[in-house]
Amino acid sequence: MNPHASGFAAYNFAYLDEQTKRMIRRAILKAIAIPGYQVPFASREMPMPYGWGTGGVQVTAAILGADDTLKVIDQGSDDTTNSVSIRKFFEKTAGVATTTRTADASIIQTRHRIPEEPLKSGQVLVYQVPIPEPLRFLEPRETETRKMHALEEYGLMHVKLYEDIAKNGRIATTYAYPVKIEGRYVMDPSPTPKFDNPKMNDSPALQLFGAGREKRIYAVPPHTEVVSLDFEDHPFEINRFEDTCALCGAEGVYLDEVILDDKGNRMFCCSDTDHCEQRREAGHSGARAGQGLEASQ
Amino acid sequence: MYVAVKGGEQAIENAHRLLADRRRGDRTVPDISLDQISGQLALAVDRVMSEGSLYDRELAALAIKQARGDLIEAIFLVRAYRTTLPRFGASEPIDTGDMKIERRISATYKDLPGGQMLGPTFDYTHRLLDPSLAADSDPASAAERDADRGPAMRVSDILGQENLVEEDGAASSDDPPDITRSPVEFPLERETRLQALSRGDEGFLLALGYSTQRGYARNHPFVGEIRIGEVALEMDLPEKGGTTVIGRLLVTECQMVNQFKGSAKAPPQFTRGYGLVFGQSERKAMSMALCDRALRAGELGEDRTAPAQDEEFVISHCDNVQATGFVEHLKLPHYVDFQAELELVRGMRAAFKETRETVDDNPQPEAAE
């Protein structure tokens, strides 16, 4: 068989064959039926490397329809190299419309962030997940962790969080902060900063999680309770930034720290680039607006 | 800045153009042909076919060219193509006893039916660089043996006649497992494990196999036999009136014979470690056989003390396409998480400084807070 001479270019809509999509959809349905439970699925080898979003790409490919509008973000940005690459992949293989506007997207594939703009009913947020098992760094064996989930044996996780407090006076987990779904499964929210955890709770959008290398899919259906683990005397807290976005002046959003020179000068700006653009279009501006961050990049 | 606000698309395109340019190299030098790669870098092609789990020399050669000789990248290209191919069914098990042998050696017998056949081996070559190969070469044609002497009996079958080696064991089901079509769930059946090992990274399995020789799960191996040659690939096609040969494969098979004390129930007997890979690769087949035997520790009632005996450890980490992807994903931007860590460390440093100052002002024994 000779790919470059034959019908090699004739891939199915959104790359995956229909049987594979059906298998993935079945896993997704099971995941939705058991919120927070990691469903094993026969993850395929994808034309991008493991660890670069193969799980998210497979989930997106399985749910994508011709009339969907896709948004892809990485670190909150539509224009990081990996988000560009994945967006182009679906433009090429599915020919779907793409957007950078959160509100206009029916499917949003993300790595490490949840958009600032609240999601709506009917939207699907697809997370790329590197290590789906929240207990993995406490217990490396899959045979053990599956048992722990089955028996709802989450003491080890609480001990870990308690040890954090004992050692550091606070819980020293800043991202991939474990959550409990509907009072049952402890789940890894993917390495989003814990700042985004509250957005997962009672969200009107469907949240799907795909881990390609680890061959797991899990889900948080709309309006599901998502609680970040904590203690009565050490309640869960999100990080608050003292600064506001230097470009759009936004408060209470997740900020990126941008180093401006070799003298230690720095500025903060929205990690969610679409949110920042929308605000600037609406006339908001921050301390350094118009001072050429865009030009310098 | 690699996280450009805009312009990422252009940058990616330019990077890929540069890659194509570097791949081609000096335009005054002729392009390397797939035939040249397939014929003259045959062992690289074998490795890509084996770890890419796709028996196609031409595609493997193309992948090697496209990957600029980076074999793991070439394996990745082949895998990403293979995964899109439909599955028509499973072939009959290949019969290595009926192999058209190119090389066959046994370390456990001085001579044996079918003989020792050295074949095209690096063994006993002196590793002295050969300047004559820098120019075009035209070596004398190979010596040929007389007409094919027919199949050679497997060494494991010779031992089996006296029940000195354990039975080969039957498959756990008639329907062969496919690790590319169903998620791996531990613990694995041996045939599933062998499938994973066969496409596992040569270097990783080599190191693990080596570790068993150095005392980390020593299993006293002997090379019962290594054989390399062509086998017929047969498939049951009812519309063709039964089992039909659909092609031929070059494979390397290694049967390790290992000691086993026996137990109250079983008399002392040698045990098996098995390796089978596409193409010619003794190193890989031998490493696979050592790992297979080590991974049977549980089944044979041995203590699991070493990494090579740990199924989850070995199988979860032996796939080089998975490994390279996840290791290399660290170069993707992680600044959002790093920002969260920065804030935490700054906060903790501030708290630390504060405590230190209080302690200095008011020295007291440390309380167990």
Side-chain angles (χ1 to χ4, degrees), chain B residues 70-337:
Chain B
D70 178 338
L71 294 190
I72 292 184
E73 179 67 21
I75 290 161
F76 181 14
L77 286 166
V78 166
R79 292 261 195 101
Y81 175 62
R82 174 198 198 273
T83 191
T84 64
L85 300 176
R87 302 291 192 270
F88 297 118
S91 71
E92 297 296 312
I94 57 171
D95 180 5
T96 53
D98 197 26
M99 177 184 280
K100 281 183 72 178
I101 287 174
E102 168 108 331
R103 167 170 167 81
R104 186 266 196 131
I105 53 161
S106 169
T108 52
Y109 293 98
K110 184 176 183 188
D111 199 6
L112 67 169
Q116 308 263 18
M117 280 189 272
L118 297 184
T121 179
F122 292 119
D123 296 351
Y124 323 112
T125 62
H126 296 131
R127 270 61 170 203
L128 304 172
L129 286 171
D130 180 358
S132 72
L133 285 175
D136 285 352
S137 62
D138 186 18
S141 57
E144 285 177 33
R145 64 172 180 257
D146 301 337
D148 194 9
R149 283 180 280 183
M153 188 180 195
R154 278 184 295 235
V155 168
S156 54
D157 295 337
I158 298 173
L159 287 166
Q161 287 172 337
E162 281 185 78
N163 290 324
L164 287 172
V165 70
E166 61 175 338
E167 297 277 323
D168 220 353
S172 65
S173 83
D174 290 341
D175 204 14
D178 183 348
I179 56 168
T180 68
R181 282 294 184 268
S182 48
V184 164
E185 294 200 45
F186 296 106
L188 302 173
E189 297 291 345
R190 186 174 173 213
E191 62 251 44
T192 313
R193 211 160 57 203
L194 287 169
Q195 218 174 82
L197 292 175
S198 185
R199 68 190 332 227
D201 182 71
E202 177 176 310
F204 180 74
L205 297 183
L206 174 67
L208 280 172
Y210 177 46
S211 74
T212 68
Q213 290 180 282
R214 292 193 64 262
Y216 291 84
R218 175 129 199 261
N219 51 37
H220 310 274
F222 296 95
V223 170
E225 181 175 17
I226 292 168
R227 52 170 66 198
I228 303 173
E230 276 191 0
V231 293
L233 187 68
E234 295 178 319
M235 197 160 169
D236 184 25
L237 299 170
E239 61 271 33
K240 288 269 184 192
T243 307
T244 311
V245 175
I246 56 169
R248 299 191 70 81
L249 303 175
L250 180 72
V251 297
T252 302
E253 181 186 57
C254 173
Q255 299 247 20
M256 289 280 181
V257 175
N258 304 267
Q259 271 179 17
F260 175 54
K261 284 197 285 285
S263 65
K265 285 181 203 152
Q269 217 176 16
F270 291 110
T271 55
R272 295 168 187 252
Y274 188 70
L276 180 77
V277 294
F278 284 157
Q280 175 176 347
S281 179
E282 269 166 45
R283 186 185 302 123
K284 169 73 183 286
M286 293 174 75
S287 306
M288 176 177 167
L290 289 172
C291 290
D292 171 47
R293 177 59 185 79
L295 288 169
R296 297 180 60 209
E299 174 197 340
L300 296 169
E302 297 162 344
D303 289 339
R304 284 200 184 131
T305 52
Q309 295 169 308
D310 186 330
E311 179 177 275
E312 279 207 47
F313 178 80
V314 174
I315 302 300
S316 302
H317 301 114
C318 70
D319 189 303
N320 53 26
V321 177
Q322 289 179 5
T324 196
F326 200 47
V327 167
E328 293 196 45
H329 108 284
L330 292 174
K331 65 195 168 191
L332 287 178
H334 281 81
Y335 56 82
V336 161
D337 294 343

Side-chain angles (χ1 to χ4, degrees), chain A residues 101-119:
Chain A
R101 294 203 167 205
T102 301
D104 294 347
S106 54
I107 299 173
I108 302 169
Q109 181 168 329
T110 180
R111 178 169 170 263
H112 292 195
R113 275 309 313 275
I114 299 174
E116 303 291 357
E117 185 173 335
L119 299 177

